[in-house]
Amino acid sequence: MVGYAASKDDQLKRLRRIEGQVRGLQRMVESDTYCIDVLTQVSAATKALQAVALGLLEDHMAHCMVEAARVGGTEQDAKVREAADAIARLVRS
């Protein structure tokens, strides 16, 4: 079972909203909307994606990492490394 199983419906709702935001961005560009207005909406979509990512990371730590800590050893080390790598990717983006 994945760590976000309990929040899957909420995550899907957020992603559908983001999908709508991105479609709105496409329409804005197609209709030659003012650059700053498009950038404002890009920022909103980016923040929404970051919120999804943080929620997934929190679920991963609360479920997958806790379970790996119970097992210990190399599984624990691997989950910690995965989380650290994921955090690094989020920070760089």
Side-chain angles (χ1 to χ4, degrees), residues 9-24:
D9 290 339
D10 290 336
Q11 295 291 12
L12 286 170
K13 285 178 192 174
R14 285 181 174 191
L15 288 168
R16 286 185 189 107
R17 257 181 284 162
I18 294 165
E19 182 180 20
Q21 285 178 297
V22 172
R23 284 193 187 122

Side-chain angles (χ1 to χ4, degrees), residues 6-52:
S7 65
K8 183 177 181 176
D9 290 339
D10 290 336
Q11 295 291 12
L12 286 170
K13 285 178 192 174
R14 285 181 174 191
L15 288 168
R16 286 185 189 107
R17 257 181 284 162
I18 294 165
E19 182 180 20
Q21 285 178 297
V22 172
R23 284 193 187 122
L25 281 164
Q26 290 171 329
R27 286 189 299 273
M28 291 175 81
V29 171
E30 286 170 351
S31 64
D32 297 323
T33 302
Y34 183 58
C35 304
I36 298 302
D37 294 338
V38 176
L39 288 170
T40 299
Q41 291 307 309
V42 167
S43 177
T46 300
K47 288 183 189 301
L49 278 171
Q50 288 172 341
V52 169

Side-chain angles (χ1 to χ4, degrees), residues 64-79:
C64 302
M65 288 185 68
V66 167
E67 185 59 33
R70 285 189 189 117
V71 173
T74 58
E75 186 166 341
Q76 178 180 343
D77 295 343
K79 293 296 180 191

